[in-house]
Amino acid sequence: MIGGGLAGITAATALAQAGHEVTLLEAKPRLGGATMSFTRDGLVIDTGQHVFLRCCTAYRGLLDRLGMSAHAPLQPRFDVTVVSPEKRARLRRRRLPAPLHMLPALLGYPFLTLPERSRISRAALGFKRLDEHDEKTDELRLGDWLEAHGQDERTRRVLWDLFSISSLNVPGDDASLALAAVVVKTGLLGDAGAADIGVPALSLGELHGAAAARLLAKLGATVRLSTKVASVETKGADGFLIRLMAADDAADGEVLAADAVVLAVPHEQAARLIPPGALPAETVDGWAGLGAAPIVNLHVRYDRKVMDVPFAAAVDSPVQWVFDRTRISGMHARGDDGQYLAVSLSAADEYVDLTVAELREMFVPALAALFPAARQAQVTEFFVTRERRATFRQVPGTAKLRPAAATALPGLALAGSWTDTGWPDTMEGAVRSGLNAVIALHENLATPAGVQAAPAAAPAPTGTNPEISGFVTGRRLASEGDAALARGPALKTDRVPEVNLVPEVNLVPEVNLVPEVNVVDEDEREVRS
């Protein structure tokens, strides 16, 4: 297993639980990929904010398997506060069947005029008729399609952007219509509870990386951190050779033999590591067309409480989403009565290269405009984490560039949220890609002797997934989420996005206020302070 993000963790735990001898190689000094944490001034800081939805069955199943479900609670029902400098609103689903569950909230949405609200249903009906699997749908821009369905500039900015930018990490109008349809049809127009939001109550490092390390150790898997792979070579019918980099980053380090390999790394690294003959050269070269999109996260500490809700979305403001991180960071536990807010900026091309001082000058007043209590508060600290390659750029035409998990080489599979999961580049997509890789290896890996394959599980009410029960040892499935994980990734007809406020790849925490001294630590995070 090459890569210890959510995709690699998912595949490694499934295979190890089935009794296979698993070795996981991770270049960084910790598991978890982009969902990671660091310590600053005695506080635990997540590099960015992840949330998920009730319908993210594969991700919830992974949390179950890691023993972390209790630390990632879900809302009883979808409830989001939307703030602007002039007013605030509450988007809350009613206890009605879908799609009527959101109708009262949308009809009363104060940021739109009555005629604008009345035209929302035209786009909603249009989404229900869309075929997100059609290649032609992926060739269309979301903004053009919305405009053709009666959604003017104002409606697109203060309503549709709330869901599309955070999920797809590109400016709302520029997004792939096919991926936007996945978000809207499943999250907003599907099951009434599908969009209920889950917010981790632990740091991401503990929720994913540390928990995965404990489980893999319990399952007898070998985890090698700070281990970089130089190349993957085939041995014909005898499997693969994995050449590691030496301590000086030379490509002449240790050589490992493996019967099967899962490349669970970003597409740039996968293109470098995939051995000849696995896929046509033009397919691998095409991955470069996926590109990369940044996310910037602002971390603001105040000397008092300034926001009275756990999280909020913003309109008519450069702020997009803001979260109260006070308790998770341990700020109050050390006797600090202030508040720590994290601002997540997706599709952050215009912000990613600004200095800390420039971002502070722009966003501290913007937060004060949204939260009146911040106008009298003192900012005690302001720092920034930058994810320059947070996701691939989810624009029209990218569906055909995303490869399937299986390759032409038996025993070699691809994983990662950039692969063809039918989902946006999110945590849910990453987990499902790991399960896709397990399915791709199914015909090449026999169930180990003495391991009882689990019987086929019945479909969960949230969706049907292809079976990977042959990889999962016989056990009692403890919950709906665990059952979904054991069954594997959903078919493309069962796509569920999560509000993607911080996806994967190349997190670059930048720390502090004004003077900048660049330091690069052992896991290649750029730290400025």
Side-chain angles (χ1 to χ4, degrees):
M1 195 69 52
I2 302 175
L6 293 184
I9 287 170
T10 299
T13 53
L15 292 167
Q17 188 174 13
H20 296 288
E21 295 182 16
V22 174
T23 297
L24 190 155
L25 308 175
E26 168 55 48
K28 296 179 181 179
R30 63 186 67 82
L31 297 179
T35 60
M36 57 166 285
S37 311
F38 62 97
T39 302
R40 175 182 169 83
D41 236 4
L43 300 180
V44 179
I45 309 295
D46 287 342
T47 49
Q49 179 65 54
H50 282 277
V51 302
F52 62 98
L53 303 184
R54 185 181 297 279
C55 53
C56 295
T57 54
Y59 174 71
R60 290 169 57 206
L62 176 63
L63 291 180
D64 256 1
R65 182 168 289 189
L66 298 178
M68 290 287 112
S69 291
H71 303 291
L74 283 155
Q75 294 176 319
R77 51 180 161 153
F78 179 84
D79 191 349
V80 173
T81 297
V82 184
V83 295
S84 80
E86 286 78 34
K87 64 185 80 170
R88 70 163 53 190
R90 190 178 184 186
L91 285 174
R92 190 181 190 212
R93 74 169 172 92
R94 297 290 182 89
R95 299 187 186 279
L96 296 169
L100 301 178
H101 61 305
M102 290 298 296
L103 186 60
L106 294 175
L107 290 178
Y109 192 53
F111 298 105
L112 296 175
T113 64
L114 185 58
E116 288 169 335
R117 290 178 230 163
S118 67
R119 290 194 291 269
I120 294 172
S121 60
R122 182 180 170 192
L125 291 172
F127 271 117
K128 287 186 72 70
R129 290 191 292 265
L130 271 177
D131 180 5
E132 62 268 38
H133 313 300
D134 189 334
E135 290 184 2
K136 294 180 180 178
T137 306
D138 183 60
E139 297 295 333
L140 299 176
R141 291 173 74 246
L142 172 61
D144 296 338
W145 185 90
L146 285 173
E147 185 175 18
H149 286 74
Q151 311 303 290
D152 60 17
E153 174 78 17
R154 177 67 179 169
T155 305
R156 300 200 303 274
R157 297 293 78 81
V158 302
L159 179 63
W160 296 106
D161 277 4
L162 289 181
F163 309 106
S164 66
I165 293 179
S166 57
S167 298
L168 303 177
N169 197 30
V170 289
D173 285 351
D174 295 338
S176 158
L177 177 60
L179 288 175
V182 174
V183 174
V184 174
K185 291 178 69 174
T186 311
L188 299 177
L189 302 178
D191 183 82
D196 298 345
I197 297 174
V199 180
L202 282 181
S203 69
L204 295 175
E206 178 62 30
L207 191 72
H208 299 148
R214 290 192 295 269
L215 177 59
L216 288 168
K218 182 179 179 181
L219 294 172
T222 299
V223 176
R224 297 181 58 170
L225 302 175
S226 302
T227 301
K228 298 180 180 180
V229 175
S231 65
V232 178
E233 304 169 11
T234 62
K235 296 195 300 175
D238 296 326
F240 301 87
L241 294 177
I242 296 93
R243 297 188 182 275
L244 306 183
M245 288 188 178
D248 58 357
D249 282 346
D252 58 354
E254 183 182 355
V255 178
L256 306 177
D259 297 320
V261 173
V262 176
L263 279 179
V265 295
H267 65 84
E268 301 93 340
Q269 286 93 316
R272 177 177 61 83
L273 292 174
I274 193 166
L279 289 172
E282 56 269 24
T283 298
V284 177
D285 292 342
W287 299 346
L290 292 171
I295 291 177
V296 169
N297 306 282
L298 313 177
H299 305 261
V300 190
R301 286 173 54 196
Y302 292 92
D303 65 349
R304 67 195 73 179
K305 185 173 183 176
V306 300
M307 187 173 78
D308 59 354
V309 291
F311 59 88
V315 297
D316 299 326
S317 168
V319 175
Q320 295 176 12
W321 288 78
V322 56
F323 295 82
D324 183 358
R325 302 285 302 173
T326 309
R327 186 186 60 78
I328 296 176
S329 70
M331 189 170 169
H332 282 174
R334 69 177 194 178
D336 192 328
D337 293 329
Q339 189 174 35
Y340 162 24
L341 301 183
V343 178
S344 181
L345 302 173
S346 300
D349 297 88
E350 64 180 301
Y351 304 120
V352 71
D353 289 319
L354 295 182
T355 66
V356 178
E358 289 170 328
L359 289 167
R360 178 174 177 146
E361 184 178 3
M362 180 184 301
F363 281 93
V364 168
L367 287 167
L370 297 175
F371 305 107
R375 297 166 194 170
Q376 287 77 45
Q378 179 182 353
V379 175
T380 59
E381 189 173 26
F382 184 100
F383 60 99
V384 180
T385 55
R386 308 175 193 258
E387 304 163 79
R388 296 182 181 273
R389 309 188 68 79
T391 66
F392 75 87
R393 196 168 289 274
Q394 299 174 87
V395 295
T398 50
K400 62 180 178 289
L401 303 178
R402 301 175 71 180
T407 72
L409 295 178
L412 177 69
L414 299 172
S417 53
W418 60 277
T419 60
D420 182 15
T421 64
W423 290 59
D425 187 342
T426 60
M427 294 194 298
E428 176 75 2
V431 173
R432 291 180 181 254
S433 78
L435 295 171
N436 284 341
V438 173
I439 292 172
L441 296 180
H442 188 202
E443 294 181 357
N444 305 112
L445 293 177
T447 302
V451 174
Q452 177 77 30
T462 50
T464 303
N465 298 325
E467 287 296 337
I468 61 163
S469 56
F471 283 97
V472 182
T473 51
R475 63 190 179 95
R476 186 173 182 177
L477 295 176
S479 70
E480 172 192 324
D482 204 26
L485 180 63
R487 281 189 303 278
L491 294 167
K492 288 187 178 180
T493 53
D494 180 33
R495 305 176 184 176
V496 186
E498 113 239 6
V499 181
N500 184 4
L501 297 174
V502 186
E504 294 188 37
V505 186
N506 262 349
L507 297 177
V508 187
E510 167 198 347
V511 180
N512 197 30
L513 305 172
V514 201
E516 298 183 0
V517 179
N518 293 332
V519 180
V520 180
D521 72 6
E522 73 282 358
D523 69 342
E524 300 180 344
R525 291 184 293 113
E526 176 189 352
V527 181
R528 298 180 183 176
S529 61

